[in-house]
Amino acid sequence: MTLFDSQGKIHRYKTSLDILRMFFHHRLDFYVKRKVILLEKMSNELKILENKARFVEEVCRGDLVVSNRKRAALLADLKERGYDLSYQNEKKDADDENEDDTTPEESASDAELAKGYEYLLGMKIWSLTFERAEELRRQKAEKAEEVKKLQATSPEAIWLADLDAIDVVLTERDSDISAELKREVLAQNKSKVRQTKKATAAKKITAKSKKKADEVSFFHDFLIIS
């Protein structure tokens, strides 16, 4: 069998098993890369949740004042307190403001800080409560557990989990198709039974009609002969 190999070059394979060997190692490399990317993404989400929870708690305690302050002073305060910057272009959630409040007078450094702290300063005032901080802490704990679980999972195990998930979906699909086919066959059988019953009833009616016609014809001929 002649196919393109993992390098995009034409290669002749002796058996289908040789093709699978080539594909397996090539595919596994991408699961290694996938795990690295997922860990990076989840670790960043964990960091954001930690920063949000701390931000809300400090505002609620009065340690951090956000109202009636100059923008530059607030940005400098956040930087001094060690809050992490985040420049990811993510969709804003229910706690984020939808309007851009940058000012033309802002310096380049402050504008950069404003973008990095948008995930904090964009939160609505009514969400800055201790209850919200507790919820963020809970989400942080769940995310930390997810990161820990992923770190302990090998790329091979991730691949096997994906295959198991695909197997479940295919089994459900085949089960649904099988059930649908059974319903169609049952419906067809019921239709055939009804048609058979109708045909049988029609034959009986025809037979009775013929019998009556024969009897009438017999008596008619009998009367003529008599």
Side-chain angles (χ1 to χ4, degrees):
M1 291 168 282
T2 303
L3 299 170
F4 286 103
D5 62 14
S6 59
Q7 305 299 320
K9 298 180 180 179
I10 289 293
H11 186 84
R12 181 169 293 177
Y13 299 90
K14 293 182 179 180
T15 66
S16 57
L17 189 58
D18 292 333
I19 298 174
L20 290 176
R21 287 196 184 99
M22 180 276 297
F23 171 77
F24 178 83
H25 295 290
H26 183 61
R27 179 70 170 171
L28 188 57
D29 288 340
F30 280 91
Y31 269 92
V32 174
K33 296 176 181 177
R34 176 183 175 185
K35 179 179 177 180
V36 172
I37 293 174
L38 284 175
L39 278 175
E40 182 180 350
K41 180 176 181 292
M42 293 171 64
S43 297
N44 183 69
E45 292 173 349
L46 180 60
K47 181 176 64 176
I48 294 303
L49 287 171
E50 169 64 29
N51 279 263
K52 279 189 172 183
R54 183 162 70 94
F55 176 79
V56 173
E57 288 174 348
E58 289 187 352
V59 171
C60 290
R61 291 197 304 263
D63 297 337
L64 177 63
V65 179
V66 296
S67 301
N68 299 322
R69 295 186 64 184
K70 289 187 176 181
R71 185 183 183 89
L74 177 56
L75 293 173
D77 196 0
L78 292 174
K79 182 178 180 181
E80 183 179 350
R81 290 172 179 269
Y83 282 97
D84 295 298
L85 298 169
S86 178
Y87 297 101
Q88 290 187 346
N89 186 22
E90 298 176 343
K91 291 183 178 180
K92 297 180 179 180
D93 55 30
D95 292 329
D96 294 336
E97 295 287 349
N98 294 322
E99 58 184 22
D100 185 7
D101 56 353
T102 56
T103 58
E105 301 83 6
E106 204 167 41
S107 65
S109 60
D110 286 345
E112 191 70 11
L113 287 176
K115 291 180 181 179
Y117 290 134
E118 171 62 23
Y119 73 98
L120 295 175
L121 300 178
M123 299 176 69
K124 293 183 178 179
I125 297 298
W126 60 263
S127 69
L128 303 179
T129 62
F130 282 113
E131 290 81 4
R132 177 57 175 163
E134 290 177 359
E135 174 64 18
L136 289 168
R137 291 293 183 188
R138 184 190 63 79
Q139 294 177 11
K140 171 182 170 291
E142 291 179 354
K143 186 63 66 175
E145 186 62 28
E146 291 178 10
V147 171
K148 183 179 178 181
K149 183 178 179 180
L150 182 58
Q151 287 174 337
T153 306
S154 65
E156 292 87 349
I158 297 175
W159 190 357
L160 288 175
D162 283 351
L163 292 176
D164 289 340
I166 292 174
D167 187 49
V168 171
V169 172
L170 292 177
T171 300
E172 292 176 351
R173 185 202 63 179
D174 294 342
S175 177
D176 292 340
I177 292 175
S178 178
E180 182 64 26
L181 288 175
K182 287 180 180 179
R183 286 193 292 269
E184 290 182 2
V185 170
L186 183 62
Q188 291 176 0
N189 289 339
K190 288 182 178 179
S191 177
K192 289 180 180 179
V193 169
R194 286 195 296 267
Q195 291 176 359
T196 301
K197 287 182 178 180
K198 288 181 180 179
T200 301
K203 287 180 180 180
K204 289 181 178 179
I205 293 174
T206 302
K208 288 182 179 179
S209 299
K210 186 175 183 304
K211 183 178 180 181
K212 288 183 178 180
D214 291 342
E215 290 176 352
V216 171
S217 176
F218 171 78
F219 284 113
H220 180 268
D221 293 342
F222 177 78
L223 292 172
I224 293 175
I225 293 173
S226 300

